[in-house]
Amino acid sequence: MATSPAVTNSEFVPNSFDGTAWPGIEPLLRALRERPVRDRAELERWLLDRSELDAACSEAQAILYINMTCNTEDKAAQQAYTTYIETVPPKVKPLAFELDAKQTTLSRELGLDSAPGRGDRYKVLVRDVAVELELFRAENVPIQTELSLLSQRYDQTVGAMTVEFDAQERTMPQMARYMESTDRALRERAWRTMSDRRLRDAEAISDIYDEMIAKRDVVARNAGFADFVGYAFKEKHRFDYGVGECGAFHRACAEHIVPLVRRLDRERKDALELEDLRPWDLAVDPKGRAPLRPFEGGRQLVAKAVATFDRLDPRLGAMLRSMGDGSNTLGARHADGSVAYLDLDSRKGKAPGGYQYMRDRSRAPFIFMNAAGLQRDVSTMLHEAGHAFHSMLCVDEPLVNYRTAPIEFCEVASMSMELLTMPYWGQPQNGSRGSAGKDDCFYADEAELARARRHQIEGAVGILPWIATIDKFQHWLYSKPDHTRDERRVRWLLLDEEFGHDVKWDGLEASRAHAWQRQMHLFGSPFYYIEYGIAQLGALQLWLHATEHGDQSAVEAYLAGLRLGGSKPLPDLFKASGLTFDFGPEMVKRLVDRVQKELETLPM
C-alpha cells in the first residue's frame, strides 16, 4: 500500500486532532491568530504550523467526501458530510480570513519574499493569500454552505439513477457498454432507456441549477463584482489568462477542431453505411467489429495499468502499485480499518464521474471512478493515476499550499499519462521493460491496440469542442443570471450547433436540450472546465515531444514539472516540463495538424 510519510516539520497539530468537529479546530486557529511573530524565522515557523492545520482540516473533509460519494445511499455518510458542511466551514472561514490578514501583513512587514536564500520561494503563496483576503465576505459564508449542500443534492440525484435493462438493474456507467454494441437496435434501445431515465429528473436538476446560479450571483455581487464571471476568475487564481483568452480558445476550437470532428463523423457515417448519424452511433466501431473489452473489473484494471506504467517508466509503475490491487472499498478505509486508496467499479448508489483526492495530512491519495470494462475506463484510470503521481511527487513539500498546482497544470499531469502510455497498452515486445505476458496488457492483439490508440487520439482532440461548449455556456449563464429556462435551452442548442457532432436529433429534442446536465462540473465546480482544454493542449505538446525525442525524454520533462507542485506560477510550471503556455489559435492549429497526420497512420 502507499506510504503516508510524516514529513510535516510541525508538531503543532496533535495526532488525536479531529478535523470534522469545531471544538478541536477552534483552539488551534485562535492560537495561530494570537501567536507573536517577531522575525522571518518565526513567520516561517508560523506558516508551517498553519499549513499542518490546513492539511489536517482538508483531510478530514476529504474523508467525509470520499465516504459520501462512494455510497450515496449510506445515510450515515451523507449525514456526516452534511453536518460537517453546515457546522465547520462556516465557523472556520471567518478565522481563516483573520489569519490571511495576519499573514499578509507579516509577509509585507518582515519581507518574506526577500528571506535570505529563499529567492521567490513565497511569491505564489503571498499572491494567493492576498486574493483570498480580497474575496472574503462574511455574508457569503452561509451562501457557500448552501451551495455545497446543493452540489451534494445533485450527486445524490445522479447517483441514484439506475435502469432496468435486459432483466437487470444497471447504473448509467454500466449502460455505456451498450453504446459499443454492433446491434444498432440494441444501441438505440439502451440510449433511449438512459435518456428517459435522465429526463425523469431533468426538472429537479434544473431546480438545483437555478438555485446555484442565483446564489453564485449574490456571492459575486457581495464581493464587489458585476457578475459571477469576474468573481470565478479571481477565485480560481487565474492570474495568467482572462475572459479574452477563453474566447480565443472557443474560436480556435470552432475554426480548427470542429471541422475535423465533423469530417470524422461523416467518415463514420459512411463506414456504418447510414443515412444519418444518431446519438447512439458515436461509440460503436465503424467497421462492425466487436467492442473493445480491455479488462474486467477493478482488480484487473489496476494490474494492467501497473504493468503499462512499468513499461513506460518503472518509477510510475511503483507509485501506482503502492496504492493497492483495485478491490472495492466503499469508502476511505477497508472493512478491516486499513487505509484505502482505490474505489473503481461502478455500482448502484455511487456518485458519478471520477476523481483523485489527496488526503493532505497523511499524504495518501485516493482514486474514485465508475469502471464498466470500457476503453474509456482505461483512459480514466491512467488519467487519475497521473493526478496521484503528481500528489505523490510532492509529498516532501512542507507547505500544503504547494503540494498542489493550478488545475491547468494538474490536468497536464493526468492527460499526459493517457497519451504517453499508448505504445505500452499492447503486448510487450522482446527487449522492452516490464512483464511480457499477454495477460498483463490491455490489448494483446495489434489490430485492437491500433483501434484503441485511434480512439484515444480522436478523443484527445474531440473533447476540445465540448470543453469550449461548456465554458462558453457558463460565460453566458453567469453574465445573464436572470435568464429563463427557455432562454437557457435556446442558448445551449445554439452552442451545440456551433460545436457539436454532425448528428441528427429529430425526435430527441428534449434529450438534446438537457445534455448539459450530465456535466457534473457545472454543478460542483463552476468555471472549472476550460482547464481541461488548456491542459489537453499541454499534454498533446508532451506527446509530440515523445514522438520527436523519445518517451524517456518526455517522462523526465513530465516529472520535472510535477515535482514543483504549485510553488511556481502557471507559465513556469509549463516551461519546467518543456511546454508552452498557449491555448490560442496558432497552437491549436499546430497540434491539430499533427494529430491529423497521426490519424492517417492508424486504420479506422
Side-chain angles (χ1 to χ4, degrees):
M1 286 293 191
T3 58
S4 300
V7 193
T8 64
N9 299 312
S10 171
E11 298 178 355
F12 178 65
V13 182
N15 291 334
S16 60
F17 175 76
D18 181 3
T20 67
W22 176 241
I25 303 170
E26 182 182 19
L28 298 182
L29 287 172
R30 295 192 183 281
L32 286 171
R33 186 186 64 181
E34 303 304 326
R35 182 193 299 181
V37 178
R38 294 172 288 266
D39 56 35
R40 284 188 299 220
E42 289 186 351
L43 176 54
E44 290 189 282
R45 168 54 54 191
W46 187 92
L47 290 173
L48 287 174
D49 289 346
R50 183 182 183 186
S51 175
E52 184 66 5
L53 178 57
D54 287 346
C57 291
S58 170
E59 178 155 334
Q61 180 172 353
I63 292 171
L64 292 174
Y65 182 82
I66 290 168
N67 291 339
M68 183 265 294
T69 54
C70 284
N71 189 358
T72 62
E73 296 180 341
D74 183 336
K75 293 182 179 179
Q78 299 301 311
Q79 187 57 52
Y81 185 76
T82 299
T83 299
Y84 171 85
I85 291 296
E86 290 177 337
T87 61
V88 176
K91 295 176 180 177
V92 168
K93 288 177 181 178
L95 276 175
F97 168 73
E98 294 183 34
L99 295 184
D100 286 345
K102 178 174 182 173
Q103 183 173 324
T104 299
T105 299
L106 289 170
S107 298
R108 182 176 61 250
E109 291 177 350
L110 298 177
L112 187 64
D113 280 343
S114 59
R118 291 295 194 175
D120 61 356
R121 162 70 175 163
Y122 296 105
K123 176 182 177 180
V124 172
L125 177 64
V126 169
R127 182 185 68 177
D128 289 351
V129 171
V131 168
E132 297 303 311
L133 190 64
E134 177 185 346
L135 290 181
F136 179 80
R137 298 292 187 278
E139 59 268 33
N140 280 340
V141 172
I143 304 173
Q144 290 162 339
T145 299
E146 293 165 2
L147 284 164
S148 295
L149 295 174
L150 285 169
S151 179
Q152 181 187 17
R153 202 166 98 204
Y154 170 79
D155 284 344
Q156 291 170 330
T157 302
V158 177
M161 289 183 182
T162 62
V163 297
E164 285 289 331
F165 196 79
D166 284 353
Q168 187 173 336
E169 184 178 27
R170 304 179 193 274
T171 66
M172 296 294 108
Q174 289 168 346
M175 288 294 293
R177 292 173 71 107
Y178 290 97
M179 293 300 97
E180 298 182 353
S181 171
T182 56
D183 182 339
R184 195 183 192 209
L186 178 62
R187 292 200 309 272
E188 179 178 355
R189 184 163 62 89
W191 191 94
R192 289 182 181 276
T193 298
M194 288 189 289
S195 176
D196 290 346
R197 176 62 187 89
R198 291 190 176 105
L199 287 174
R200 277 169 46 194
D201 285 326
E203 288 304 306
I205 291 175
S206 287
D207 289 342
I208 292 171
Y209 204 48
D210 287 344
E211 286 190 62
M212 285 180 159
I213 291 171
K215 290 180 187 298
R216 286 168 181 156
D217 187 62
V218 173
V219 165
R221 294 181 187 279
N222 286 346
F225 290 84
D227 55 40
F228 188 70
V229 179
Y231 178 91
F233 272 67
K234 195 82 167 182
E235 181 190 36
K236 294 189 178 305
H237 299 178
R238 292 179 177 173
F239 301 105
D240 304 296
Y241 66 98
V243 172
E245 286 79 7
C246 292
F249 172 75
H250 304 159
R251 292 189 295 275
C253 287
E255 182 177 350
H256 299 297
I257 303 178
V258 170
L260 169 62
V261 171
R262 291 180 177 173
R263 176 173 65 78
L264 294 173
D265 287 339
R266 291 191 294 273
E267 291 175 1
R268 165 177 287 274
K269 176 173 68 71
D270 293 341
L272 290 169
E273 299 181 346
L274 298 174
E275 184 176 343
D276 295 295
L277 271 187
R278 301 286 270 168
W280 46 84
D281 296 323
L282 295 175
V284 66
D285 181 74
K287 292 188 175 180
R289 293 164 293 194
L292 293 170
R293 292 290 181 255
F295 70 94
E296 287 293 337
R299 296 183 68 168
Q300 194 176 98
L301 174 60
V302 170
K304 293 186 175 187
V306 166
T308 297
F309 283 121
D310 278 340
R311 293 191 284 272
L312 174 60
D313 190 290
R315 292 170 292 183
L316 303 177
M319 282 190 281
L320 181 57
R321 186 179 290 106
S322 74
M323 295 180 68
D325 66 359
S327 301
N328 275 344
T329 62
L330 286 174
R333 290 189 176 275
H334 292 285
D336 63 4
S338 61
V339 175
Y341 298 84
L342 302 166
D343 191 319
L344 307 179
D345 290 303
S346 178
R347 61 178 174 269
K348 181 183 177 182
K350 197 173 184 182
Y355 62 78
Q356 187 273 160
Y357 208 147
M358 189 64 164
R359 287 160 285 193
D360 286 324
R361 193 181 192 196
S362 62
R363 274 72 154 183
F366 187 89
I367 293 177
F368 169 102
M369 59 180 287
N370 280 273
L374 308 177
Q375 165 55 30
R376 74 180 190 185
D377 296 326
V378 173
S379 297
T380 299
M381 180 74 246
L382 301 171
H383 178 106
E384 301 303 343
H387 283 310
F389 299 158
H390 203 177
S391 296
M392 296 164 85
L393 287 166
C394 298
V395 294
D396 293 332
E397 167 57 58
L399 293 176
V400 69
N401 311 71
Y402 287 171
R403 291 205 292 273
T404 186
I407 297 299
E408 296 85 350
F409 191 69
C410 287
E411 296 299 340
V412 172
S414 56
M415 291 175 168
S416 295
M417 290 298 92
E418 298 178 49
L419 296 171
L420 295 186
T421 57
M422 285 192 298
Y424 305 97
W425 294 353
Q427 190 167 353
Q429 303 300 312
N430 292 334
S432 65
R433 283 195 296 258
S435 54
K438 66 179 182 179
D439 292 336
D440 293 321
C441 64
F442 289 111
Y443 299 105
D445 180 81
E446 286 295 316
E448 289 195 344
L449 174 61
R451 285 174 61 192
R453 292 183 64 177
R454 184 180 179 92
H455 182 275
Q456 181 66 48
I457 293 169
E458 285 186 359
V461 293
I463 189 65
L464 295 173
W466 176 258
I467 291 169
T469 305
I470 294 295
D471 191 61
K472 194 170 182 179
F473 188 47
Q474 292 190 90
H475 280 267
W476 182 86
L477 290 170
Y478 289 106
S479 65
K480 302 180 186 302
D482 295 328
H483 66 265
T484 66
R485 289 189 188 182
D486 190 56
E487 290 171 332
R488 185 160 69 209
R489 178 187 60 81
V490 170
R491 183 62 180 178
W492 174 257
L493 293 175
L494 286 172
L495 290 172
D496 191 54
E497 286 291 336
E498 182 178 4
F499 295 108
H501 282 277
D502 189 6
V503 167
K504 185 175 181 179
W505 286 94
D506 290 15
L508 308 171
E509 289 80 6
S511 295
R512 185 185 190 187
H514 290 91
W516 58 271
Q517 294 187 346
R518 297 173 59 187
Q519 191 62 58
M520 62 183 184
H521 301 79
L522 291 169
F523 298 86
S525 305
F527 277 97
Y528 168 27
Y529 208 58
I530 184 70
E531 290 90 343
Y532 287 102
I534 298 169
Q536 188 69 281
L537 296 175
L540 285 166
Q541 289 184 63
L542 197 62
W543 166 72
L544 186 57
H545 177 121
T547 64
E548 295 175 348
H549 304 290
D551 293 338
Q552 197 56 45
S553 175
V555 170
E556 293 300 337
Y558 171 84
L559 294 174
L562 266 58
R563 290 191 184 104
L564 293 174
S567 63
K568 300 291 183 183
L570 184 56
D572 292 351
L573 296 177
F574 269 68
K575 185 177 180 180
S577 285
L579 311 175
T580 302
F581 182 68
D582 180 1
F583 50 102
E586 290 186 10
M587 176 62 74
V588 169
K589 184 179 186 306
R590 181 168 75 88
L591 293 172
V592 170
D593 288 346
R594 180 62 184 83
V595 163
Q596 290 191 76
K597 289 181 181 178
E598 184 71 13
L599 290 175
E600 290 170 2
T601 70
L602 295 169
M604 179 180 282

